[in-house]
Amino acid sequence: MSMSKLDFNSQEEKDTVEHVFQNAMLCLNEEDRSLPAIELMLPLLQRGIAVHHSGLLPVIKELVELLFQEGLVKALFATETVRFYQASDFFF
């Protein structure tokens, strides 16, 4: 099975991920919002899949970490840069 067919989230979870993602994007300037790494992230996150590494913008790393802690990311491909926060409402 290819990764493009994997989908771990319900529609309700996808809607929540999109809401949190859009709120996080408000922290970025317009130029950064159009970066390929940013544009490609939402479809993966909605399916419950994420990547986390030092090359990501800090707001995206925090977003991935929070979604993982909330159980909205089920498959996380990460380096040792991943951190976990206390439950909070950073972007909710």
Side-chain angles (χ1 to χ4, degrees):
M1 172 181 282
S2 75
M3 198 161 94
S4 65
K5 296 185 189 291
L6 294 177
D7 191 345
F8 299 110
N9 283 345
S10 68
Q11 187 58 51
E12 182 180 351
E13 290 172 319
K14 289 176 191 206
D15 294 343
T16 300
V17 167
E18 182 171 11
H19 175 76
V20 174
F21 181 87
Q22 296 304 335
N23 285 339
M25 292 304 96
L26 297 175
C27 297
L28 297 176
N29 64 45
E30 284 293 323
E31 188 176 312
D32 287 343
R33 291 180 200 168
S34 62
L35 291 170
I38 303 301
E39 292 179 342
L40 296 172
M41 189 66 74
L42 180 57
L44 284 173
L45 291 172
Q46 287 180 305
R47 293 180 8 232
I49 302 167
V51 296
H52 187 291
H53 56 81
S54 63
L56 293 175
L57 294 172
V59 68
I60 299 302
K61 289 193 285 188
E62 290 178 18
L63 172 67
V64 167
E65 292 161 2
L66 291 168
L67 292 174
F68 182 79
Q69 283 187 291
E70 294 298 319
L72 296 169
V73 167
K74 278 77 171 190
L76 178 60
F77 299 90
T79 63
E80 67 276 358
T81 60
V82 72
R83 305 183 310 192
F84 295 103
Y85 296 93
Q86 297 293 324
S88 66
D89 57 353
F90 279 100
F91 306 117
F92 291 94

